[in-house]
Amino acid sequence: MNDHQLAQGLLKGDEAAFKTLVETYQHMVFNAVFNMVQDYHESEDVAQEVFIQVYQSVQSFRGDSKLSTWLYRIAITKSFEWQRKRKAKKRIGLVKSWLGLDHEAAKTKTDFEHPGISLEKKENAAVLYKAIDKLPGTQKAAFILIKADGLSYEETAAILETTAAAVESLMHRAKQNLRKILKEHYR
Amino acid sequence: MEQDKDMTEKIESILNSLDGIKLVDAPAFFYTRLSAGMENNTTHKQAVCIRCISKPAFAIAILLVFAAANGLAINHLIKQNKTETSSTASIQNFTEEYGLSTASVY
């Protein structure tokens, strides 16, 4: 089943088409979300939300981009939504811990260890992921899509609905910011 | 100087630490859990809806809305009647003053 047939099947509400879509793209979506969210269990929930969104809004898929591009776009949006919710929760948790209502909230997040990274790079990657988390939204998305998901500048541009030149500039700024963050980290 | 060079090298190796990263498999039975989640979501939404409707506060609010709508409609009708009677009265006055009433012709 190709992208067009899948989209047509989804539009008709075909369960089999939805199952094929999930089974074809689950790893791709999960990896995109996993690199953004940096938590295995939360990533599963966010990836599920991505497919629910796909099921509910398949009418908005115009077919002028690849299905994978559309899925990546939803995955990035959902990851940002999750990040906003996490920040809000964190703020509420901090207030609660100041008031002495919740001591669990004061605990800081542990370092993220990506299982797909070789052992000798694990320590550096954990530091890098922590720094990536501090980047502004689009820089973070561009850096992850290119460096972790292995996409090209053109593919990333299609996902972020911009030009390849703009993605190049985003990557340049992301690297500059990461160097600054890492310098601060080791000072 | 030497320290700066070491720092730069360290940072560059950190920036390149994602090179050769392997894809992670999605959790097992992802589709099964997704479809179960979607079903639960629908039943949960229905349950929330039913719970909202069955609350006394909801029933009272609906009654108040109906009462307010009735009140407005009655008020509107009364106003309409008043303007109708005042407009017919002014026409009668006018016809009487200028002798245009049917009684005066015959």
Side-chain angles (χ1 to χ4, degrees), chain A residues 71-173:
Chain A
L71 284 166
Y72 263 122
R73 206 175 288 152
I74 297 174
I76 297 293
T77 312
K78 285 282 170 195
S79 302
F80 282 143
E81 266 176 34
W82 177 86
Q83 219 170 0
R84 272 195 295 273
K85 278 183 202 164
R86 186 187 64 175
K87 276 184 186 166
K89 259 188 196 171
K90 223 175 174 179
R91 255 177 264 140
I92 294 166
L94 274 175
V95 173
K96 276 185 175 176
S97 71
W98 286 336
L99 297 171
L101 298 170
D102 187 4
H103 297 290
E104 285 291 307
K107 282 181 185 171
T108 50
K109 195 186 152 198
T110 51
D111 284 350
F112 169 64
E113 275 195 17
H114 194 292
I117 290 171
S118 57
L119 202 63
E120 69 269 17
K121 286 180 180 171
K122 265 203 172 17
E123 200 183 318
N124 280 350
V127 178
L128 181 60
Y129 270 112
K130 217 174 187 177
I132 289 171
D133 224 16
K134 290 176 187 161
L135 285 177
T138 43
Q139 288 179 28
K140 180 180 174 178
F143 191 86
I144 281 173
L145 287 170
I146 289 166
K147 284 281 193 178
D149 294 317
L151 300 186
S152 67
Y153 280 44
E154 285 75 21
E155 285 168 321
T156 308
I159 293 162
L160 300 178
E161 293 177 292
T162 183
T163 60
V167 173
E168 215 169 306
S169 148
L170 273 174
M171 275 300 278
H172 180 71
R173 274 182 284 148

Side-chain angles (χ1 to χ4, degrees), chain B residues 64-82:
Chain B
L64 284 174
V65 168
F66 269 105
N70 279 328
L72 282 172
I74 291 164
N75 193 28
H76 183 73
L77 279 174
I78 290 167
K79 267 186 189 171
Q80 219 173 14
N81 276 347
K82 266 186 190 168

Side-chain angles (χ1 to χ4, degrees), chain B residues 11-12 15 19-21 23 29 39 43 46 48-49 55 66 73-74 78 89 106:
Chain B
I11 287 170
E12 288 312 309
L15 283 178
D19 292 350
I21 189 171
L23 289 180
F29 311 110
E39 239 165 69
T43 37
Q46 282 170 346
V48 168
C49 198
K55 273 183 184 171
F66 269 105
I74 291 164
I78 290 167
Y106 298 103

Side-chain angles (χ1 to χ4, degrees), chain B residues 21-82:
Chain B
I21 189 171
K22 282 181 189 143
L23 289 180
V24 177
D25 280 345
F29 311 110
F30 183 81
Y31 179 74
T32 316
R33 275 192 267 190
L34 170 68
S35 46
M38 282 169 86
E39 239 165 69
N40 278 348
N41 203 18
T42 327
T43 37
H44 176 71
K45 271 183 189 166
Q46 282 170 346
V48 168
C49 198
I50 290 165
R51 226 182 297 143
C52 277
I53 292 169
S54 58
K55 273 183 184 171
F58 183 81
I60 291 166
I62 292 288
L63 279 174
L64 284 174
V65 168
F66 269 105
N70 279 328
L72 282 172
I74 291 164
N75 193 28
H76 183 73
L77 279 174
I78 290 167
K79 267 186 189 171
Q80 219 173 14
N81 276 347
K82 266 186 190 168

Side-chain angles (χ1 to χ4, degrees), chain A residues 20-70:
Chain A
T20 311
L21 174 98
V22 175
E23 280 168 359
T24 312
Y25 292 106
Q26 60 179 348
H27 303 299
M28 183 198 87
V29 168
F30 183 77
N31 274 279
V33 171
F34 187 45
N35 283 307
M36 291 285 289
V37 167
Q38 301 178 11
D39 183 298
Y40 192 85
H41 297 291
E42 294 282 353
S43 298
E44 189 183 352
D45 291 345
V46 178
Q48 284 191 3
E49 276 177 33
V50 172
F51 285 108
I52 292 169
Q53 174 81 51
V54 167
Y55 190 78
Q56 288 169 345
S57 63
V58 69
Q59 288 84 358
S60 66
F61 177 64
R62 298 183 299 270
D64 48 7
S65 64
K66 284 199 283 181
L67 203 51
S68 59
T69 306
W70 186 55

